[in-house]
Amino acid sequence: MRGVVFDGERAEVADDLEIRDPGPGEVLVAVAAAGLCHSDLSVIDGTIPFPVPVVLGHEGAGVVEAVGPGVTHVAPGDHVSMSTLANCGACAECDRGRPTMCRRAIGRPERPFSRAGEPLYQFASNSAFAERTLVKAVQAVRIPREIPLTSAALIGCGVLTGVGAVLNRAKVAVGDTVVVIGAGGIGLNVLQGARLAGASTIVAVDTNPAKEQTARLFGATHFLTAMEGVRELLPDGAQHVFECVGHTGLVRQAIDLLDRHGQAVLLGMPAPTAEATFLPAAMFLDKSILGCRYGSSRPQRDIALYARLYGEGRLLLDELVTEVYPVEDFAKAADDAEQGRVARGVLTF
């Protein structure tokens, strides 16, 4: 079985992976497509510490091949989009409707894969860069067969994170003003989340002018290549500023752009030890800084919702897919992502 394995020094496409059969409450998925997210690259460059060797990938869709005992909501042959969230469903956070905060799932990677007898870790409870993967039943969400799996793959991370940050965490309201820093895969989904929420002014900021057309397609009413122009458009500041890059200097600028009662939502992933600074006095006008994990999503609800919005023509998925690569071209896909040549590259099996 093929898959992308990172051993702590380099990532390679292996063809000798094995995976165990599904146990109780598990689903074996034949992966058809998987989006290449910067979180995968962050494992390779060390920004996200993770035990190795590990099978990478966490944004995928495919067809159910087998289910373990107790799984009833999906069956072999179903098309599914997979979330990265293996929540237990029974702890206090899950019971409060906050599965992204499940204490029994975060930081407890399993090892369902093996290679030459050596167990390999699963990244983000998902490992979508493999021909087959095992996920918890709660991670497999049935989707209509009409959705191309290359597009459906992106729901499980980029769409949940970006759109969810707008609708679930920031709760952007009709008529609000929004600034999105970074028009990559996550930023584009924040833009379309703001559009869905009915924001009146949606400003995309990205240093790459080539991203303007796509940013406007997803919902940007204005596009800037520098932060300095935001105040000309919004003299009083913005009600919501989303930092989607993970740069500590941009965190400070996001805070500085807030209007009274405004909130800065941090989505970009800086290094674990990175520190950002801001002026506490600037916060006394009821401003807020919000962290956001995985769009504060409830995947079984939200993936089904976004699939329905796609079917209604209100949510863009196909337009996120810039390039499709066979898994053997992982190195090229990774380089294209690093250089910002794609909104999302998708690996296929």
Side-chain angles (χ1 to χ4, degrees):
M1 183 178 74
R2 294 170 296 165
V4 179
V5 177
F6 177 59
D7 64 4
E9 296 184 0
R10 61 187 294 267
E12 66 171 341
V13 180
D15 61 4
D16 56 349
L17 296 180
E18 296 183 358
I19 192 166
R20 62 173 173 79
D21 293 332
E26 293 181 331
V27 178
L28 179 66
V29 178
V31 180
L36 177 53
C37 173
H38 273 277
S39 293
D40 299 300
L41 302 179
S42 294
V43 173
I44 295 173
D45 68 22
T47 301
I48 297 178
F50 205 88
V52 294
V54 58
V55 180
L56 295 175
H58 66 285
E59 184 182 69
V63 180
V64 174
E65 193 165 284
V67 300
V71 178
T72 59
H73 73 292
V74 293
D78 285 344
H79 286 206
V80 293
S81 177
M82 297 178 291
S83 85
T84 69
L85 195 64
N87 62 296
C88 72
C91 69
E93 296 294 349
C94 288
D95 191 53
R96 294 187 184 105
R98 299 196 295 246
T100 59
M101 296 294 111
C102 176
R103 296 183 186 276
R104 298 184 185 178
I106 297 174
R108 299 185 181 185
E110 296 188 357
R111 295 193 285 182
F113 299 94
S114 63
R115 185 184 187 192
E118 178 186 12
L120 282 73
Y121 285 99
Q122 184 173 40
F123 179 53
S125 303
N126 190 302
S127 289
F129 292 169
E131 287 187 81
R132 292 175 180 80
T133 192
L134 269 178
V135 295
K136 301 295 186 186
V138 72
Q139 294 176 258
V141 184
R142 188 169 54 208
I143 57 173
R145 291 174 178 268
E146 293 74 25
I147 303 179
L149 290 172
T150 48
S151 299
L154 306 186
I155 301 177
C157 178
V159 176
L160 278 179
T161 298
V163 178
V166 175
L167 303 182
N168 301 328
R169 186 67 168 127
K171 300 186 186 304
V172 173
V174 173
D176 283 357
T177 56
V178 173
V179 174
V180 181
I181 304 173
I186 298 300
L188 290 175
N189 282 295
V190 174
L191 289 171
Q192 72 170 333
R195 171 177 54 80
L196 287 167
S200 60
T201 302
I202 307 172
V203 183
V205 184
D206 197 291
T207 56
N208 185 353
K211 294 183 178 181
E212 179 173 1
Q213 182 178 356
T214 304
R216 289 186 180 275
L217 174 65
F218 276 78
T221 59
H222 301 78
F223 183 90
L224 300 172
T225 56
M227 301 289 288
E228 289 72 24
V230 175
R231 282 288 180 179
E232 295 180 17
L233 296 171
L234 299 170
D236 293 328
Q239 289 163 299
H240 311 275
V241 181
F242 296 83
E243 200 285 327
C244 304
V245 179
H247 188 287
T248 55
L250 294 176
V251 171
R252 169 63 182 269
Q253 292 188 59
I255 295 168
D256 289 344
L257 283 175
L258 294 177
D259 193 0
R260 299 179 181 188
H261 305 281
Q263 50 190 20
V265 184
L266 309 185
L267 296 177
M269 179 65 71
T273 57
E275 297 183 0
T277 61
F278 65 95
L279 300 175
M283 306 302 294
F284 293 142
L285 294 174
D286 285 0
K287 300 179 184 181
S288 305
I289 303 171
L290 303 180
C292 184
R293 172 176 164 81
Y294 202 39
S296 301
S297 298
R298 295 165 66 179
Q300 284 287 336
R301 177 199 68 177
D302 291 348
I303 290 177
L305 169 63
Y306 299 153
R308 178 166 60 82
L309 292 176
Y310 169 83
E312 295 171 355
R314 299 169 61 192
L315 184 85
L316 303 180
L317 291 180
D318 304 338
E319 295 81 357
L320 285 168
V321 182
T322 311
E323 192 74 41
V324 176
Y325 312 82
V327 69
E328 289 79 9
D329 287 346
F330 171 77
K332 182 180 187 304
D335 185 63
D336 286 348
E338 286 276 21
Q339 301 303 319
R341 302 186 190 106
V342 294
R344 250 322 185 257
V346 175
L347 300 176
T348 57
F349 294 89

